[in-house]
Amino acid sequence: MQNIEVLQERIKNISTLEELEELRVHLLGRQGEITILLKNLNVLPVEERRKRGNELNNFKNEIEDFLNNRKTEIEEGVLNSKLKNEAIDIFLPPFSLPMGRLHILSIVYKKVEEVLGSLGYEVVEGPEIESDYYNFEALNMPVHHPARDMWDTFYFENGLLLRTHTSPVQIRTMQSRQPPIKIIAPGKCYRRDNPDASHSPGFHQLEGLYIDEGVSLSHLKGTLEFFARAMFGPYQEVKLITSYYPFVEPGLEVSLKCVICKGKGCITCKYSGWLEILGAGMVHPDVLSRQEIYPDKYSGFAFGIGIDRVAMLMYGIKDIRSFLENDLRFLNQFKAILEET
Ligand code: FA5
């Protein structure tokens, strides 16, 4: 049996819990050296047995304490090195995971909805696949009405169609609500238009409708001017001219000075210096009375904003087709704007 100092030195030099356990079993296990020495005490005479027994028990206790202390040291060492190696630096920048974000047109929609929402307009929606009744007939365009040519339409075989504008939502709202009505309706529209810098066969509109007692053209003008200033700032030049839509009387067209060429004329504005962003007007009395809203009592205005055109003017985008090409180099340009919002 080694003496206590040698054993203590041996225990100190052990660096793993497995080795330590091995030594414990070797000394203190059922067949361990110290256990056997203790078992053999009974062959000694009583006096010597007591003396030797005390010595051996002290020896055993000391070794046990030593083994336990070393065990604690090793466990702490293992824990500390684990903590060190697995430490989390909370100041490290996070991995940049590829994240989806809103499309620039969605951001523009959001802004327009905020601006008009501040005037009390409520957002409603309507279907993209429409019937002839909602897209044309209820809007004062019976079959064979020449004004239907203003909207070159995609038809399904069953007679349904892809809505050419968001104006059908006007009719759906008149059918489901009573005046006062104050709604906006965002949504996709489709036309068989030849694609060019400012036309796309699939584009985005936002319809507005306000019906109440005493609504007048000056309310419409005020609303459109408020909208243009809120979106483009007080210095943006706005042009309102009369126009024809069968479902309004009078009808208006609103154009903004082209921001791409500053009004000099370019391919985006078709060399006119202006880009038309919306159509509007006072709701035609026949449209109201067909939906049992009596024009003697109520009047209203409506507008249909081209959201793609608004986005083009806000961010100087020369070609409307960029919105639908899904080119990340184009879309990522708006990252900063998206983070702002
Ligand atoms: C209409 O669609 C009417 N429904 C607007 C309206 C509503 C008038 C309520 C009166 C009352 P228009 O066809 O002009 O009108 O289209 C409205 C706006 O949609 C245009 O000013 C333009 O900004 C946008 N727009 C029209 N066609 C396209 C297209 N092919 N590509 C991109 N934007 C388009």
Side-chain angles (χ1 to χ4, degrees), residues 151 165 167 170 191 193 198-200 203 205 207 245 247-248 276-281 302-306 309 320:
W151 295 280
H165 48 182
S167 298
Q170 285 187 38
R191 292 184 196 174
D193 286 349
S198 57
H199 290 83
S200 166
F203 60 100
Q205 280 191 348
E207 195 78 9
Y245 296 99
F247 39 95
V248 288
E276 185 205 315
I277 58 157
L278 64 90
F303 51 86
I305 305 170
R309 302 260 180 99
I320 196 169

Side-chain angles (χ1 to χ4, degrees), residues 71-230:
K71 187 172 176 219
T72 311
E73 278 172 13
I74 295 173
E75 280 170 349
E76 277 174 4
V78 170
L79 185 65
N80 284 339
S81 79
K82 209 171 167 194
L83 285 176
K84 204 169 146 206
N85 293 336
E86 294 175 11
I88 297 168
D89 183 349
I90 55 164
F91 297 105
L92 273 178
F95 294 115
S96 63
L97 293 172
M99 276 212 321
R101 54 177 88 84
L102 292 179
H103 190 279
I104 186 65
L105 288 174
S106 304
I107 296 291
V108 173
Y109 260 131
K110 222 170 113 195
K111 285 196 181 174
V112 176
E113 285 169 18
E114 266 165 29
V115 167
L116 293 170
S118 74
L119 296 180
Y121 286 87
E122 187 191 330
V123 178
V124 300
E125 285 187 12
E128 285 174 36
I129 296 177
E130 265 299 2
S131 67
D132 187 272
Y133 174 77
Y134 287 104
N135 200 80
F136 290 122
E137 215 175 313
L139 290 164
N140 265 354
M141 284 176 276
V143 186
H144 304 310
H145 191 290
R148 287 188 176 213
D149 293 349
M150 289 162 70
W151 295 280
D152 206 350
T153 310
F154 291 106
Y155 285 97
F156 294 98
E157 278 173 7
N158 59 6
L160 293 176
L161 50 89
L162 286 175
R163 69 175 172 197
T164 56
H165 48 182
T166 40
S167 298
V169 189
Q170 285 187 38
I171 306 302
R172 290 183 176 278
T173 311
M174 289 179 207
Q175 288 178 345
S176 61
R177 297 181 182 209
Q178 292 297 313
I181 291 172
K182 204 171 189 186
I183 57 99
I184 47 179
K188 289 191 197 123
C189 304
Y190 306 87
R191 292 184 196 174
R192 293 164 64 113
D193 286 349
N194 285 332
D196 64 22
S198 57
H199 290 83
S200 166
F203 60 100
H204 303 78
Q205 280 191 348
L206 181 130
E207 195 78 9
L209 176 67
Y210 178 34
I211 302 174
D212 202 350
E213 291 180 42
V215 176
S216 70
L217 187 63
S218 54
H219 291 128
L220 171 59
K221 198 168 163 258
T223 304
L224 295 178
E225 279 169 0
F226 172 81
F227 165 75
R229 277 195 215 113

Side-chain angles (χ1 to χ4, degrees), residues 260-302:
I260 312 284
C261 61
K262 312 268 181 292
K264 287 193 200 96
C266 67
I267 189 156
T268 307
C269 62
K270 297 228 174 68
Y271 301 96
S272 68
W274 297 87
L275 198 61
E276 185 205 315
I277 58 157
L278 64 90
M282 299 304 294
V283 182
H284 198 292
D286 289 350
V287 173
L288 291 175
S289 48
R290 201 174 285 119
Q291 303 310 326
E292 293 174 10
I293 295 174
Y294 297 104
D296 294 347
K297 186 169 183 202
Y298 293 108
S299 55
F301 64 71

